[in-house]
Amino acid sequence: MSSSLHSKENLEFITVAAEFCLFLEQLPEIDKKQFLNRAIKYLPLVYLKTSLLPFNSDNYEAEPERIVTETDYELVRGNIASLMGMDDNYLEVFHPDMQYSDTPIAATISEDLADIYQELKDFLYNCQIGSDEAMQDALTYCLSAFKDHWGRKLLNAMRPLHQAFYNDNNEEDIDTTSTPADDERDIPFLKYQRRE
């Protein structure tokens, strides 16, 4: 692997992407409160680590192999939708078609996060099996998709997740006094970072 693919920024992005995908794959094991607590920490971290990577160009030799099937996608989306219940839906105000619409455009957190999962999981798969060229193409493709759609979906999902986590009706259920040690248990990457 070339040294640029082994840069600290790339390795941190890969680490965070892998942890985020694993988090979404383990949803049946957690409740809504745990999901919200982790999601509002993971998503800014994924955004930050992605935005720190150099966006050289949108050109890649070949489109990376896509391994997330419709069944995989639907499993992740369905698990999130089930956890979120009525809080899954929100109104999308920055959709490109909004300027032509007289009615609000609905979106779901579950679909946004499943789209992000699909892009990151496909990227990680190509990192595991590919040559340097395939890995570079996968990274370039993933960053291009970030600019085009999944970065926006990540930011869009943060607003309703924040609302659901800090909702006034659920104040007694939310522990807002978490410490950095609590965050480390929830997000392994944070624990890794503190040791440096």
Side-chain angles (χ1 to χ4, degrees):
M1 184 187 282
S2 69
S3 59
S4 65
L5 289 173
H6 265 302
S7 71
K8 178 182 178 196
E9 292 80 12
N10 282 358
L11 294 176
E12 287 181 353
F13 170 66
I14 290 169
T15 302
V16 170
E19 288 181 11
F20 179 72
C21 288
L22 183 61
F23 161 61
L24 292 182
E25 290 164 355
Q26 295 175 338
L27 288 185
E29 301 171 14
I30 64 175
D31 61 23
K32 182 178 179 180
K33 179 181 172 184
Q34 292 170 314
F35 169 74
L36 291 169
N37 186 38
R38 293 179 188 171
I40 64 170
K41 293 172 183 153
Y42 266 123
L43 289 172
L45 195 55
V46 170
Y47 191 92
L48 173 67
K49 293 304 176 183
T50 308
S51 66
L52 290 175
L53 297 175
F55 289 77
N56 296 330
S57 73
D58 291 340
N59 297 325
Y60 42 89
E61 295 295 319
E63 186 171 320
E65 189 171 345
R66 310 293 276 178
I67 60 118
V68 176
T69 65
E70 189 174 329
T71 303
D72 298 332
Y73 178 96
E74 188 55 34
L75 181 64
V76 169
R77 192 209 61 74
N79 285 338
I80 296 168
S82 178
L83 275 174
M84 292 301 296
M86 295 297 290
D87 290 328
D88 190 36
N89 299 307
Y90 68 94
L91 297 179
E92 163 62 279
V93 294
F94 292 109
H95 194 280
D97 294 338
M98 189 64 191
Q99 62 183 330
Y100 306 112
S101 177
D102 291 336
T103 59
I105 297 173
T108 63
I109 294 168
S110 57
E111 189 172 322
D112 289 345
L113 297 189
D115 286 348
I116 297 165
Y117 170 82
Q118 182 175 31
E119 294 294 344
L120 294 179
K121 189 72 172 183
D122 287 341
F123 163 72
L124 292 168
Y125 174 77
N126 283 279
C127 285
Q128 290 174 336
I129 65 158
S131 63
D132 284 1
E133 294 79 18
M135 292 175 66
Q136 187 60 57
D137 281 348
L139 180 61
T140 302
Y141 184 87
C142 187
L143 293 177
S144 177
F146 173 78
K147 291 191 302 187
D148 291 343
H149 68 93
W150 73 262
R152 177 179 44 83
K153 288 181 179 249
L154 185 155
L155 293 172
N156 288 345
M158 279 299 299
R159 184 174 42 90
L161 285 167
H162 174 88
Q163 177 63 29
F165 186 71
Y166 293 106
N167 187 332
D168 292 340
N169 297 329
N170 296 326
E171 281 184 0
E172 67 278 359
D173 295 334
I174 303 299
D175 178 12
T176 57
T177 61
S178 68
T179 66
D182 295 331
D183 291 343
E184 289 175 2
R185 281 194 303 275
D186 290 339
I187 312 295
F189 183 80
L190 294 177
K191 187 173 188 176
Y192 166 76
Q193 286 296 100
R194 289 200 198 284
R195 289 186 185 155
E196 292 184 340

